[in-house]
Amino acid sequence: MKPCLFCSEIGPYTTVEHIVPESLGNDDLLLRGSVCDKCQAYFGKEVERYVLEKSEFAFWRVYLGIKTK
């Protein structure tokens, strides 16, 4: 198994990383076995949430009608 792209740890890899977040409309571009669960949780909870709620992306999501999970 290869190391995590972000922290270089070896797994576990039980989640799938969306290259472009689902909350921006991506259903197809996925990484499997490349981002560990710990980093996936951090980026999903801390980074992605902040960007999607407190930046220009928030406006565009509402304007374009992109649904959250």
Side-chain angles (χ1 to χ4, degrees):
M1 206 172 254
K2 57 187 174 183
C4 173
L5 290 174
F6 298 108
C7 70
S8 299
E9 296 290 325
I10 303 295
Y13 300 100
T14 60
T15 62
V16 176
E17 172 68 26
H18 289 80
I19 298 170
V20 175
E22 284 180 286
S23 50
L24 291 178
N26 175 42
D27 292 327
D28 302 324
L29 302 171
L30 306 172
L31 284 176
R32 297 181 192 279
S34 297
V35 179
C36 74
D37 294 354
K38 182 179 171 185
C39 288
Q40 171 74 350
Y42 171 76
F43 283 102
K45 183 178 179 186
E46 301 296 329
V47 177
E48 187 176 312
R49 177 183 285 168
Y50 178 83
V51 169
L52 295 175
E53 291 177 357
K54 306 208 185 285
S55 72
E56 293 81 12
F57 287 113
F59 167 80
W60 287 107
R61 286 181 61 221
V62 172
Y63 182 76
L64 297 172
I66 298 172
K67 306 271 188 222
T68 59
K69 281 187 172 181

